């Protein structure tokens, strides 16, 4: 949330507790997803030891109980002379307050990640995957050198 003005101590404490609660419990649907797979590790858990957190597998369509069922990470596809297409799986329905962002930096040494002006080109159903949509974003490719990442904020 972005606030304009000053919060009194009681309002600040209420907002702080809500943010902590959301961090612990996760976004809408996450606790049900954990229960569906009988997981107890929360957001940072990795019960299948595949190196991917439960929250990453939740957002990008992995199977948290099978190390071969890894999350489907975003991929880059050439989009033309001045842009790239970023194709990824997105939770459906999108949990309240959740935003997927494409970010860019020029260096991985002390990176300064900035949001790119991504344009959604399309969204479509994935056969057999009712909890996800395939989304294609177009991002500018003005820099010939650089790094991209997909950031999910909840």
């Amino acid at each position: 949330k972005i606030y304009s003005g000053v919060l009194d101590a009681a309002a600040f404490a209420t907002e702080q507790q809500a943010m902590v609660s959301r961090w612990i419990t996760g976004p809408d649907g996450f606790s049900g997803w954990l229960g569906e797979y009988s997981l107890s590790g929360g957001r940072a858990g990795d019960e299948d030891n595949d190196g991917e957190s439960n929250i990453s597998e939740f957002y990008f369509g992995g199977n948290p109980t099978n190390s071969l069922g890894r999350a489907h990470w975003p991929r880059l596809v050439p989009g033309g002379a001045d842009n790239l297409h970023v194709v990824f799986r997105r939770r459906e329905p999108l949990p309240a307050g959740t935003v997927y962002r494409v970010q860019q930096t020029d260096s991985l040494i002390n990176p300064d990640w900035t949001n790119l002006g991504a344009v959604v080109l399309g969204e479509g159903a994935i056969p057999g995957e009712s909890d996800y949509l395939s989304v294609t974003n177009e991002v500018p490719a003005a820099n010939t050198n650089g790094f991209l990442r997909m950031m999910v904020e909840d």
Side-chain angles (χ1 to χ4, degrees):
K1 291 184 178 179
I2 298 174
Y3 295 95
S4 175
V6 177
L7 290 175
D8 63 40
F12 177 78
T14 299
E15 287 300 318
Q16 181 182 31
Q17 183 58 40
M19 288 187 292
V20 168
S21 176
R22 184 165 172 85
W23 172 251
I24 292 170
T25 60
D28 295 342
F30 184 64
S31 61
W33 182 85
L34 288 173
E36 178 184 328
Y37 287 103
S38 301
L39 302 174
S40 60
R43 295 173 74 99
D46 180 19
E47 284 81 355
D48 60 0
N49 296 309
D50 64 358
E52 296 179 358
S53 67
N54 289 336
I55 196 72
S56 294
E57 296 201 66
F58 172 78
Y59 279 129
F60 293 108
N63 180 337
T65 62
N66 180 343
S67 61
L68 298 178
R70 299 179 63 118
H72 301 272
W73 294 108
R75 65 186 194 282
L76 293 176
V77 178
D82 297 326
N83 58 59
L84 293 170
H85 293 172
V86 180
V87 181
F88 63 98
R89 285 183 180 211
R90 190 195 76 204
R91 289 294 301 180
E92 180 63 27
L94 186 63
T98 301
V99 178
Y100 288 70
R101 298 186 193 282
V102 180
Q103 296 183 325
Q104 179 270 332
T105 188
D106 294 329
S107 172
L108 294 178
I109 300 172
N110 300 316
D112 180 22
W113 293 100
T114 57
N115 294 330
L116 290 178
V119 175
V120 177
L121 293 181
E123 298 177 346
I126 301 170
E129 296 280 341
S130 61
D131 292 336
Y132 297 91
L133 288 179
S134 176
V135 178
T136 302
N137 282 355
E138 182 176 76
V139 296
N143 288 342
T144 56
N145 297 311
F147 302 90
L148 296 177
R149 74 177 180 184
M150 176 69 68
M151 188 68 158
V152 181
E153 300 170 5
D154 60 17

